[in-house]
Amino acid sequence: MKPIRVGLLGFGTVGRGTYEILRRNQEEIQRRAGRGIEIVKIAVRDAARARTVVGAGIEVTDSPEQLVGSAGIDIVVELIGGCDPARALVLEAIGNHKHVVTANKALLAVHGNEIFAAAHRVGVMVAFEGAVAGGIPIIKALREGLTANRIEWIAGIINGTSNFILSQMRATGASFESVLEQAQALGYAEADPRFDIDGVDAAHKLTILCSIAFGVPIRFEAAYMEGIGKLAAADIRYAEQLGYRIKLLGITKRTSHGVELRVHPTLVPMQRLLASVEGPMNAVLVKGDAVGTTLYYGPGAGAEPTASAVVADLVDVTRTHTADPDNRVPHLAFQPDALVNLPWLGIEDTVTSYYFRMRVADRPGVLADIARILADHRISIDAMFQREPSEGENQTDIILLTHEALERDVNAALGRIETLPTVLAPVIRIRQEELL
Ligand code: HSE
């Protein structure tokens, strides 16, 4: 059988990784896919440079429009990133009845509903394993392996850059800026690293996971995002003393009131496997009603890890492109007409436990005032300690862990606490999850 013909849009880190894997593992991939998978065309801005890297049989162009319109291509692999011009090119490729493989989480988080609807209309596949958690086959696991389950929640470390930064800061005491530079040099960070630091990249991925887990349309606007930019070394230290690590988690949960979709720094008990995920590694914890809790771990970024997912998608498309579209695994795990809109919960409606750090005057009655206000707002204290003030110092830090509380109540209580004359700075609050 003739090889399936692939066109690559973009030839950066992941594009080169894809080229290299297809070249190196050609024979095994063919044995698995049932026919060869061949890159026949690459569209890249610097075509001359790409020509020096790839084999003579591959056409290199600087026109992505020409590639998506090309009659000699069966699958378009979109590795440009971002929404513009990726959205238009992907829709154009679909319009030309080409299957699409993409690792573009931003594109799917923002325009996924439109793209999947277009693909469904013409009966082509849009595969996107590489868009979430790089080399970890989490889409496959959720969409197929766990298909018997009612998914209850997902909690994941799904941004390698921020996990790398948090790990390095904790282990070496290095500054935020120097660790970020390292992450960029190693190729983990997004073109705009604020996407990593501010939780946007994690929210893109979480939004996709949420839809596949609960059978809801993709809704990036519903995501709450809080990044790691404001985390202080002191909080990382205090959390350790209490038996926790701070991780940037993406959490999506189905409650009786609706769906939570949130990314924020989170205290994770040290004895959970997730707390030991260090460096740029990713890990996703999924709670299903039948299977219980399962954990998926691996590299979430980098050339070949992400390309590993891209090539897996190419094999999947190669195996199933002749199947009746109605018999393929649906893009979002649920049949397109069976997606349902559930209520989306804002962060104020979230119930979780909290870590508070309060800078206070070290004098009688301070703690009593704070405890009274927390009690007034139904917030119960789970643990606390006070830093020993240094010689002659008349202020200190009080660290509190709470039982579960409604965020709206926490906001009201902290608003009152911050008006106390003995509370000397805004209260630091970090959410905490037991992940059981
Ligand atoms: N910037 C992303 C990360 C790359 O750090 O995880 C993979 O999406």
Side-chain angles (χ1 to χ4, degrees):
M1 202 184 292
K2 278 211 230 141
I4 199 148
R5 298 159 304 175
V6 175
L8 288 191
L9 285 176
F11 199 56
T13 310
V14 181
R16 284 167 192 235
T18 303
Y19 170 81
E20 179 53 28
I21 293 176
L22 284 175
R23 191 196 58 74
R24 192 174 69 231
N25 297 344
Q26 197 175 65
E27 194 251 340
E28 292 226 5
I29 288 169
Q30 174 159 355
R31 282 168 57 210
R32 290 188 171 122
R35 62 194 278 196
I37 299 176
E38 236 176 64
I39 297 175
V40 294
K41 197 178 269 204
I42 297 174
V44 62
R45 214 175 290 143
D46 191 348
R49 193 151 150 249
R51 267 188 214 107
T52 63
V53 179
V54 301
I58 301 177
E59 188 188 334
V60 183
T61 169
D62 59 7
S63 167
E65 293 80 10
Q66 193 249 345
L67 186 146
V68 297
S70 166
I73 286 175
D74 307 302
I75 309 175
V76 171
V77 179
E78 184 277 305
L79 299 171
I80 303 175
C83 292
D84 185 27
R87 171 183 164 271
L89 290 168
V90 163
L91 289 173
E92 181 70 22
I94 291 170
N96 291 329
H97 292 253
K98 300 193 187 309
H99 302 283
V100 172
V101 172
T102 178
N104 190 336
K105 56 256 158 151
L107 176 70
L108 296 181
V110 179
H111 300 291
N113 296 320
E114 178 191 21
I115 288 170
F116 293 130
H120 183 64
R121 268 196 304 276
V122 300
V124 298
M125 286 174 271
V126 176
F128 53 96
E129 187 63 75
V132 182
I136 307 175
I138 185 64
I139 303 295
K140 189 92 172 168
L142 258 182
R143 213 161 53 173
E144 298 178 48
L146 298 178
T147 199
N149 288 261
R150 185 175 203 275
I151 304 296
E152 295 175 7
W153 52 259
I154 296 176
I157 296 173
I158 45 179
N159 181 263
T161 301
S162 49
N163 201 54
F164 178 76
I165 291 174
L166 290 176
S167 305
Q168 289 291 102
M169 284 174 73
R170 190 184 64 79
T172 66
S175 74
F176 179 84
E177 289 75 17
S178 73
V179 184
L180 174 60
E181 269 177 34
Q182 283 179 49
Q184 286 176 297
L186 290 164
Y188 307 142
E190 293 302 299
D192 179 351
R194 281 173 306 183
F195 271 40
D196 297 301
I197 308 312
D198 297 344
V200 180
D201 175 74
H204 284 147
K205 297 165 184 166
L206 185 70
T207 301
I208 298 168
L209 292 178
C210 168
S211 179
I212 293 175
F214 306 132
V216 292
I218 298 174
R219 182 117 191 272
F220 178 63
E221 319 82 79
Y224 172 80
M225 286 171 267
E226 191 181 307
I228 59 168
K230 289 201 197 121
L231 271 184
D235 295 308
I236 297 177
R237 250 189 353 261
Y238 286 140
E240 291 254 321
Q241 287 174 32
L242 288 159
Y244 293 85
R245 291 260 162 87
I246 299 181
K247 295 289 180 191
L248 183 74
L249 289 193
I251 299 170
T252 185
K253 213 179 261 190
R254 174 165 38 187
T255 77
S256 51
H257 305 295
V259 177
E260 292 177 8
L261 188 59
R262 52 191 167 102
V263 174
H264 49 70
T266 312
L267 267 73
V268 177
M270 237 179 254
Q271 61 271 32
R272 301 282 175 275
L273 286 171
L274 211 55
S276 312
V277 174
E278 299 284 20
M281 301 307 275
N282 281 199
V284 184
L285 200 54
V286 182
K287 174 81 184 281
D289 68 336
V291 70
T293 311
T294 54
L295 178 67
Y296 308 85
Y297 169 86
E304 291 212 3
T306 310
S308 159
V310 168
V311 173
D313 278 345
L314 285 171
V315 172
D316 244 5
V317 173
T318 303
R319 285 172 176 153
T320 52
H321 75 291
T322 50
D324 176 350
D326 287 341
N327 294 335
R328 295 183 191 138
V329 179
H331 290 117
L332 294 174
F334 292 70
Q335 298 298 335
D337 58 0
L339 295 176
V340 287
N341 265 306
L342 294 173
W344 294 89
L345 299 178
I347 194 69
E348 285 228 307
D349 300 311
T350 299
V351 174
T352 186
S353 311
Y354 291 84
Y355 160 104
F356 299 142
R357 172 163 59 90
M358 304 181 187
R359 173 125 285 239
V360 297
D362 191 14
R363 72 168 93 113
V366 174
L367 189 57
D369 290 344
I370 291 169
R372 165 64 22 226
I373 293 175
L374 291 176
D376 286 350
H377 292 275
R378 300 166 288 281
I379 299 164
S380 166
I381 297 170
D382 180 36
M384 74 144 283
F385 73 87
Q386 179 177 325
R387 178 179 61 79
E388 191 79 20
S390 328
E391 186 75 17
E393 199 187 15
N394 57 5
Q395 45 180 262
T396 187
D397 285 332
I398 291 177
I399 316 298
L400 288 167
L401 293 184
T402 74
H403 289 291
E404 284 193 338
L406 181 67
E407 178 122 347
R408 184 173 291 108
D409 291 339
V410 167
N411 290 341
L414 296 188
R416 277 180 65 196
I417 287 170
E418 284 173 352
T419 64
L420 293 172
T422 48
V423 173
L424 309 173
V427 177
I428 304 298
R429 152 242 308 254
I430 306 174
R431 299 171 191 89
Q432 176 206 326
E433 293 283 341
E434 286 304 313
L435 303 175
L436 285 170

